Amino acid sequence: MSPDGSGATLTAVAADVAAPVVARARERAADVDAGRADPRATVQLAGALGLLDAPLVRVIGLVEEVAGECLSTAFSLWAQRMVLTYLNAAARADAELVEGVGSGALAGCTAMAPALRDVAGIAPVPVVAVRTSTGLRLHGPIHWASQLYSDAVAVLPVRIGEDPVTAERAVVRIRLSDPGVQVAPAPPLLAMDATASSSVRLDGVAVGPDAVLSTDLAAFVAAVRPGFLLLQSAFCTGLAARCVTESATHVTGVNVALQPDHDEISARLSGVQQRLHRWAARPGDPDKAELLRLRLDAAAVG
């Protein structure tokens, strides 16, 4: 349990189930950091153990634990869980894709950040969809996404029409192997090359009616936002917790002068984790502002 009793990141039973995933992330961390391997094997192990589709509180605990060993792998777990969440939120879920992403056999690529910005009134979604006799045809950029592996399932928002204000919005899924999907070469990233992160250009990508997950972008975002932000917060706090633990052993000798700074960071982290763990068990409790503040605080402490 967490110190204040607000809920554990992982209960004892859940920790036992997750232990092989954490261990595999630890074993592969050096190769993943160096870009010699990618996180998919660890994600697939999590899927085989039923952890990708576990209750949110357990997945958050898993992401925190893994982030203490390998941030790239924790990031990939977040992306995989979110794409699974999106697919399950569809009016007509594709059972085969849900099974593939839930098992980790298919990589999940979440390109939904523009949806949150659009709903917040910051910027319209950049991908434009044109109606055709068989569905939609997509044109435009995905400015940044991760897990851009060749067989990945990507979920993204689109606007149906050129007008950025009046055009209808939708959420769709595509495969990166679809004709018209052009993935740009991945730029070098500091210890994150294995996440296969880059930009994508869509040039006439066909989307059938069964691949439209929602035509109500605001409602879709409202439904998935808690998990999206809580899981993002978890990989920040997991990394921060490992850093606080490791640095504690070095606050000795002449470094003892840094003890107040260490104590202050540790206290800030504890406060963020208490909110995270409480809301992980009750994701409907925080409002949008509270979720965003938690995400910002987690990033700052991380």
Side-chain angles (χ1 to χ4, degrees):
M1 293 291 289
S2 59
D4 67 341
S6 60
T9 54
L10 285 172
T11 64
V13 172
D16 287 344
V17 176
V21 180
V22 178
R24 180 164 294 184
R26 182 186 308 117
E27 293 163 2
R28 295 170 55 83
D31 286 337
V32 170
D33 284 352
R36 295 188 296 266
D38 64 55
R40 282 179 287 183
T42 306
V43 171
Q44 288 167 3
L45 178 58
L49 294 173
L51 293 172
L52 293 175
D53 199 24
L56 180 62
V57 64
R58 290 183 61 185
V59 182
I60 285 173
L62 174 66
V63 168
E64 269 201 303
E65 294 289 332
V66 169
E69 305 295 342
C70 178
L71 183 59
S72 294
T73 303
F75 185 86
S76 291
L77 286 168
W78 161 75
Q80 195 78 13
R81 169 57 182 243
M82 287 316 304
V83 171
L84 184 60
T85 300
Y86 305 149
L87 295 175
N88 278 321
R92 292 178 296 174
D94 185 309
E96 185 176 350
L97 286 182
V98 168
E99 170 62 26
V101 175
S103 69
L106 290 177
C109 168
T110 171
M112 285 293 289
L116 276 72
R117 291 195 292 270
D118 186 289
V119 170
I122 297 171
V125 294
V127 174
V128 174
V130 177
R131 296 189 191 278
T132 69
S133 60
T134 56
L136 300 173
R137 198 165 289 277
L138 312 185
H139 303 268
I142 297 173
H143 293 302
W144 193 255
S146 299
Q147 299 222 111
L148 293 170
Y149 305 115
S150 59
D151 62 343
V153 180
V155 177
L156 66 148
V158 300
R159 52 188 165 101
I160 307 173
E162 292 286 349
D163 192 296
V165 177
T166 62
E168 298 175 48
R169 268 52 169 174
V171 179
V172 304
R173 60 169 171 80
I174 61 173
R175 296 292 294 270
L176 295 187
S177 56
D178 288 344
V181 178
Q182 304 166 23
V183 179
L189 300 170
L190 181 60
M192 294 287 280
D193 288 345
T195 60
S197 301
S198 187
S199 59
V200 181
R201 186 79 192 175
L202 305 182
D203 185 11
V205 178
V207 171
D210 61 330
V212 177
L213 306 186
S214 175
T215 55
D216 188 337
L217 184 62
F220 193 88
V221 167
V224 303
R225 185 190 287 116
F228 188 98
L229 295 174
L230 290 170
L231 282 164
Q232 282 192 342
S233 300
F235 59 69
C236 294
T237 57
L239 176 62
R242 179 63 181 269
C243 292
V244 166
T245 298
E246 295 294 329
S247 61
T249 63
H250 298 285
V251 188
T252 59
V254 295
N255 291 336
V256 76
L258 299 175
Q259 188 67 56
D261 295 322
H262 185 275
D263 292 344
E264 188 268 335
I265 292 172
S266 181
R268 284 171 52 204
L269 172 62
S270 178
V272 173
Q273 286 185 305
Q274 286 178 21
R275 281 184 285 158
L276 173 61
H277 301 165
R278 183 170 68 250
W279 291 337
R282 300 178 62 88
D285 283 1
D287 60 27
K288 179 171 66 174
E290 289 172 320
L291 287 168
L292 290 170
R293 173 52 60 189
L294 174 68
R295 177 65 181 86
L296 291 171
D297 290 347
V301 78

